[in-house]
Amino acid sequence: MKKTKWLISPVVLWLSLFLILPMAIVVVISFLGRDEFGNLVIQFSLDNYARFFDSLYLGIYWDTIALSVLTTLICVLISYPLAYYIANAGPTRQKIWLLFITVPFWINFLIRTYAWVLLLRSQGVVNSFLMDIGIIDEPLKMLYTKGAVLLGMVYTFIPYMVLPIYVSLEQMDRKLLEAASDLGASRWRAFWHITLPQTKSGMMTGSVLVFVSTAGMYVVTDILGGSKSTMLSNIIQTQFLGARDWPFGAALSVIFAITSLVLIYLFNMALRSRHERSKEGRA
Amino acid sequence: MKKMKWFASTVLAGAMIATLVVTAGCSQKETLNLYSWADNFDPDVIKDFEKKYDVTVNYAVFANNEDLLAKLKAGGSKYDVIQPSDYMVATMIQQDLLEPLNKDNIPNWNNISSHFKNLPYDKDNKYSIVYTSGVTGIAYNKKYVKGEITSWSDLWKPEFKDKVLLLDDMREVIGMGLKKNGFSNSSTNENEIKKSVDDIKQLLPSVLAFDTDNIKQKLIAEEGWIGTVWSGDAAYIAAQNPDIAYVIPKEGSTIFSDNYAIPKGAKNKDLAEKFINFMLDPEVSAKNYESIGYSDPNEKAKPFHSPEYQANKMINLSNDEFARTEWLMDVGKTLQVYDRYWTEIKSGRE
């Protein structure tokens, strides 16, 4: 074990250079001041954090969390049945389905997002079709709405949810299901008491991935939301560029990072307590 | 032993990075490092320059002035010629980031129309020479917009609900509100700013989207009927969709420019000045601006331009239209006030 320890040194070097060091710089900047040209002023100040508690920024923070939670929930609801179906399909079919899930990753994300614009806009494919077959007279307003943003987020992050759930379904101990059925449990009951608890970790992993990615995504709100629904990440971007206020942008980044860490911690706690409970239950 | 391994892998990683850096900078010919907006030059004109002086032009692009400023502050000597906009020239001069230009090396400077010399952001052209300029106006689609559009307040008409496009730009949007109310587009008076922002909030229900880069496509595809558009973009839109009309509102509007400048510590200042002088040659500039479709401030280039280019009212504004434009100025400390209002406008929260 000890002899191979050096194998991780490139990773350690990489992480410290490109993750820990930049993060430390962000934390330091978040306590500094700025002059009117945006130059950093060396001083210790908590003002940047105090500013966050303004109702304007708290409101945007709340919007961001709400959209991320909603995206995560919808992703779970869509992904679970899909992952369940794939995991129970034959080996060749499984491969084909997994390919379908990953193919979108081969195409540039911006192109896929603009494709939604072509579909949803007032002269777009969907509206033209509905008008041609006479279901509607006026184009529906679908693009540049909060709904379009939600759709874009769910579309973008579904693979992040399907794959972990699929993996946990694959690794599940299927003998337990046979045992349940031998003991007379219905399929639904077996699913509820055996499959669902055993795939919780997959759902949790997927949820963390989707939640954190949604909260940090600002391209979708710009392209599909017409830049009208501002997220915390949009504010951070503005602070570093147009507003020339790096300390405030850094403080918001730190708050955002802490939110994500707290969330991941809570997820892990929830998982662990479940394991412990199940152990106790067995004992 | 463990320490040795650590050391070895560190050296290995360092060596790999060093190799990348060294090979990237390897070239025998003299190199001009040009840092500008995307598609800002006719590639053929750049090739002509490379041939004439037997040099290589390395053309890197930035997306906005703030990116450019951040790069320069991090050490600008990497670039020889940069193209900041008007207010950014002023900021860079104040921050001592620009090299004074030696006009003796740029005799073609005299070709520039007097309208574009000694502009307020660099009064004696000590650090910058104008490259192109434009104004912000209203573009609208005559198929849907009946009646004549003359004023910013036309955007507020109820029949344009969900059809108005605004630039995704803090200074442009708040500046429009200020102009509509008869104030300077760079006002630092908080009451004036508040009044204008309240006005813009009334407009929000009509706004289809905020967009800068793709506002052209939104008007061409007739997603929006009316919006704030830069004159150069308006020319492009009108070429694709003949129903588009363009007007500089009667209350006046914002004028802007891109400029040539040389960053402090540029390695190749001589070649940079040669480049600027070359681009200001009447024939070269005519070829360049015909290709990119922006306005040409070069007075001597007029005879070399096509009649279509000269007749295009969106590229060549009338004196009347120019007379009611105003340059954006750096608002200093008030930028924070603008930024807060902008966040309110964009998020719909207070």
Side-chain angles (χ1 to χ4, degrees):
Chain A
M1 181 67 195
K2 237 184 187 173
K3 269 182 193 162
T4 54
K5 222 177 182 178
W6 65 274
L7 281 171
I8 64 161
S9 57
V11 170
V12 172
L13 184 73
W14 181 267
L15 286 181
S16 27
L17 260 179
F18 298 115
L19 183 73
I20 298 171
L21 186 67
M23 211 47 221
I25 295 172
V26 170
V27 172
V28 170
I29 290 178
S30 72
F31 291 107
L32 300 183
R34 67 181 271 273
D35 67 12
E36 58 183 87
F37 295 117
N39 293 318
L40 296 174
V41 176
I42 305 300
Q43 63 176 60
F44 178 79
S45 143
L46 291 170
D47 291 354
N48 305 308
Y49 288 94
R51 220 175 122 193
F52 169 73
F53 292 97
D54 185 313
S55 66
L56 173 64
Y57 300 109
L58 281 176
I60 293 167
Y61 181 73
W62 167 245
D63 286 346
T64 308
I65 303 236
L67 177 69
S68 310
V69 168
L70 199 56
T71 305
T72 310
L73 286 178
I74 296 176
C75 278
V76 172
L77 289 178
I78 297 177
S79 305
Y80 201 98
L82 181 59
Y84 190 87
Y85 174 80
I86 298 175
N88 286 302
T92 329
R93 285 203 163 188
Q94 276 197 21
K95 270 183 204 144
I96 294 173
W97 277 103
L98 288 176
L99 191 70
F100 280 150
I101 304 279
T102 42
V103 157
F105 283 118
W106 305 351
I107 304 162
N108 181 292
F109 160 69
L110 280 177
I111 293 175
R112 283 185 281 138
T113 312
Y114 277 112
W116 277 110
V117 173
L118 296 183
L119 287 174
L120 297 180
R121 65 184 181 192
S122 49
Q123 285 83 352
V125 176
V126 175
N127 270 320
S128 309
F129 176 72
L130 290 178
M131 278 158 77
D132 282 351
I133 61 171
I135 291 184
I136 50 170
D137 300 323
E138 288 273 298
L140 298 174
K141 185 179 160 54
M142 293 181 283
L143 200 53
Y144 315 122
T145 58
K146 289 199 156 60
V149 174
L150 184 62
L151 175 76
M153 293 286 192
V154 170
Y155 164 78
T156 306
F157 294 122
I158 270 198
Y160 291 66
M161 188 66 87
V162 173
L163 296 176
I165 296 179
Y166 164 79
V167 170
S168 65
L169 281 163
E170 263 293 284
Q171 291 170 345
M172 204 181 91
D173 187 354
R174 286 180 187 249
K175 283 186 213 124
L176 289 174
L177 285 176
E178 285 163 27
S181 117
D182 288 348
L183 294 171
S186 67
R187 283 186 71 177
W188 175 247
R189 210 173 152 178
F191 171 78
W192 190 254
H193 288 284
I194 295 166
T195 313
L196 203 58
Q198 289 204 65
T199 50
K200 214 167 168 183
S201 67
M203 274 190 280
M204 288 297 182
T205 311
S207 298
V208 170
L209 282 176
V210 173
F211 182 91
V212 173
S213 313
T214 309
M217 162 67 70
Y218 60 87
V219 185
V220 169
T221 49
D222 277 358
I223 297 177
L224 297 179
S227 289
K228 285 189 296 185
S229 35
T230 295
M231 304 265 281
L232 196 64
S233 39
N234 299 91
I235 306 290
I236 293 174
Q237 187 204 22
T238 321
Q239 294 311 315
F240 277 94
L241 296 175
R244 291 183 223 158
D245 196 342
W246 287 31
F248 185 48
L252 291 177
S253 307
V254 171
I255 290 166
F256 180 57
I258 290 174
T259 309
S260 304
L261 287 177
V262 166
L263 206 89
I264 293 169
Y265 176 77
L266 289 178
F267 276 152
N268 281 337
M269 285 298 284
L271 273 183
R272 219 182 25 210
S273 63
R274 188 185 60 83
H275 279 306
E276 272 154 20
R277 246 184 288 130
S278 62
K279 262 184 222 157
E280 276 161 28
R282 247 176 262 154
Chain B
M1 194 58 202
K2 212 165 85 187
K3 259 187 193 159
M4 273 306 287
K5 294 265 168 67
W6 243 104
F7 178 74
S9 51
T10 313
V11 168
L12 190 66
M16 285 185 331
I17 293 168
T19 320
L20 281 176
V21 173
V22 170
T23 44
C26 193
S27 166
Q28 288 96 356
K29 274 191 198 170
E30 224 182 335
T31 305
L32 177 84
N33 286 302
L34 173 63
Y35 194 38
S36 177
W37 307 82
D39 307 319
N40 220 22
F41 294 95
D42 177 2
D44 280 350
V45 169
I46 303 253
K47 267 184 215 138
D48 293 345
F49 175 75
E50 288 179 324
K51 247 184 245 158
K52 185 169 178 188
Y53 291 96
D54 191 29
V55 293
T56 311
V57 174
N58 189 0
Y59 179 7
V61 299
F62 54 80
N64 55 54
N65 281 293
E66 281 68 28
D67 277 359
L68 168 64
L69 179 67
K71 275 270 171 65
L72 277 206
K73 278 192 182 167
S77 55
K78 251 182 89 182
Y79 306 109
D80 301 309
V81 175
I82 54 170
Q83 294 209 293
S85 298
D86 38 85
Y87 73 96
M88 189 49 70
V89 171
T91 305
M92 286 178 169
I93 294 172
Q94 276 168 307
Q95 302 250 301
D96 195 23
L97 291 169
L98 299 182
E99 199 76 54
L101 301 175
N102 183 353
K103 296 283 174 40
D104 296 340
N105 293 337
I106 314 173
N108 283 338
W109 178 64
N110 293 311
N111 298 345
I112 296 225
S113 140
S114 59
H115 285 306
F116 292 106
K117 280 180 184 163
N118 309 319
L119 295 168
Y121 52 86
D122 181 15
K123 287 225 164 69
D124 311 308
N125 284 98
K126 202 174 157 197
Y127 299 95
S128 68
I129 292 175
V130 73
Y131 176 65
T132 187
S133 92
V135 294
T136 314
I138 299 177
Y140 59 98
N141 191 317
K142 284 176 285 187
K143 232 170 30 186
Y144 308 104
V145 176
K146 301 296 171 202
E148 217 180 329
I149 299 295
T150 54
S151 153
W152 290 118
S153 52
D154 290 331
L155 293 176
W156 272 255
K157 283 183 181 168
E159 63 256 39
F160 301 144
K161 187 171 187 313
D162 267 340
K163 297 296 173 194
V164 176
L165 296 166
L166 294 181
L167 286 163
D168 192 5
D169 184 302
M170 170 174 82
R171 291 296 304 278
E172 286 285 2
V173 171
I174 298 178
M176 171 190 76
L178 287 161
K179 276 285 170 197
K180 174 179 181 265
N181 283 287
F183 306 129
S184 157
N185 58 8
S186 303
S187 172
T188 50
N189 176 323
E190 294 202 20
N191 291 327
E192 291 179 4
I193 301 171
K194 185 176 183 324
K195 184 161 186 259
S196 312
V197 169
D198 285 344
D199 240 2
I200 291 163
K201 286 181 180 167
Q202 299 293 315
L203 177 62
L204 288 179
S206 286
V207 175
L208 177 69
F210 293 93
D211 197 340
T212 302
D213 299 330
N214 293 304
I215 199 164
K216 300 191 279 280
Q217 279 69 29
K218 290 189 169 74
L219 277 157
I220 294 168
E222 303 181 357
E223 288 183 81
W225 295 349
I226 185 165
T228 56
V229 171
W230 290 324
S231 49
D233 283 352
Y236 178 87
I237 297 166
Q240 311 276 321
N241 187 332
D243 290 318
I244 297 289
Y246 188 66
V247 62
I248 310 299
K250 61 179 183 205
E251 297 93 343
S253 75
T254 297
I255 183 169
F256 53 83
S257 65
D258 291 341
N259 302 271
Y260 296 106
I262 300 178
K264 204 131 232 171
K267 289 200 187 76
N268 229 335
K269 188 168 182 262
D270 272 353
L271 189 61
E273 284 167 346
K274 270 182 200 148
F275 177 75
I276 298 171
N277 196 52
F278 175 83
M279 294 302 295
L280 291 172
D281 175 88
E283 273 184 77
V284 172
S285 79
K287 184 177 174 190
N288 184 42
Y289 292 94
E290 292 274 344
S291 153
I292 60 174
Y294 300 150
S295 76
D296 186 353
N298 195 325
E299 214 164 36
K300 300 268 169 63
K302 270 197 184 134
F304 301 101
H305 274 295
S306 66
E308 295 83 39
Y309 180 92
Q310 296 207 31
N312 192 326
K313 289 208 171 70
M314 295 171 202
I315 297 174
N316 305 291
L317 299 178
S318 72
N319 286 338
D320 269 6
E321 287 168 329
F322 264 123
R324 52 177 192 264
T325 57
E326 185 185 358
W327 294 92
L328 278 181
M329 291 293 156
D330 199 303
V331 292
K333 277 195 207 104
T334 319
L335 187 66
Q336 265 196 329
V337 179
Y338 277 80
D339 171 57
R340 203 204 136 90
Y341 279 132
W342 181 234
T343 309
E344 290 185 10
I345 291 169
K346 290 289 294 286
S347 66
R349 286 184 168 270
E350 300 207 4

